[in-house]
Amino acid sequence: IVDSSVKYNSKLLKDNINSLIIRYPFIKVITIGYSVLGVLFIVSRFGTGPKEVFYCGTTHANEWITSTLLMTFLENMCVAYNR
């Protein structure tokens, strides 16, 4: 679903998240706010247990590569979790 060969943007992120939710319905996604430009801040979550891990990307405006990295990681985790 996630194509790491293209430059990421917020529209592609939303499309990928929606596609991942359809394929992996155990993913929970919530909006936690908006940027000054009106772009959603989202959190995706899956799994249960006593330990929690937080991964954050695109902390600064032009760090699109970290979004691609995290989305690829999320998809790989979903594949592994679904086996």
Side-chain angles (χ1 to χ4, degrees):
I1 293 173
V2 179
D3 182 0
S4 60
S5 68
V6 297
K7 189 171 180 180
Y8 227 62
N9 59 41
S10 58
K11 168 141 178 31
L12 189 53
L13 175 72
K14 284 172 33 177
D15 291 346
N16 285 170
I17 286 285
N18 289 332
S19 297
L20 286 171
I21 290 169
I22 290 168
R23 182 172 290 172
Y24 305 105
F26 53 81
I27 298 174
K28 305 298 179 219
V29 175
I30 60 169
T31 300
I32 59 169
Y34 297 86
S35 73
V36 257
L37 297 176
V39 178
L40 292 173
F41 291 141
I42 58 170
V43 171
S44 59
R45 180 182 190 137
F46 70 89
T48 58
K51 297 192 182 205
E52 295 182 10
V53 178
F54 176 75
Y55 297 97
C56 180
T58 315
T59 306
H60 301 100
N62 291 316
E63 292 178 352
W64 62 269
I65 194 73
T66 57
S67 294
T68 306
L69 174 73
L70 282 176
M71 288 300 294
T72 301
F73 178 72
L74 176 62
E75 184 173 17
N76 289 338
M77 290 293 290
C78 288
V79 170
Y81 186 79
N82 205 34
R83 290 184 186 191

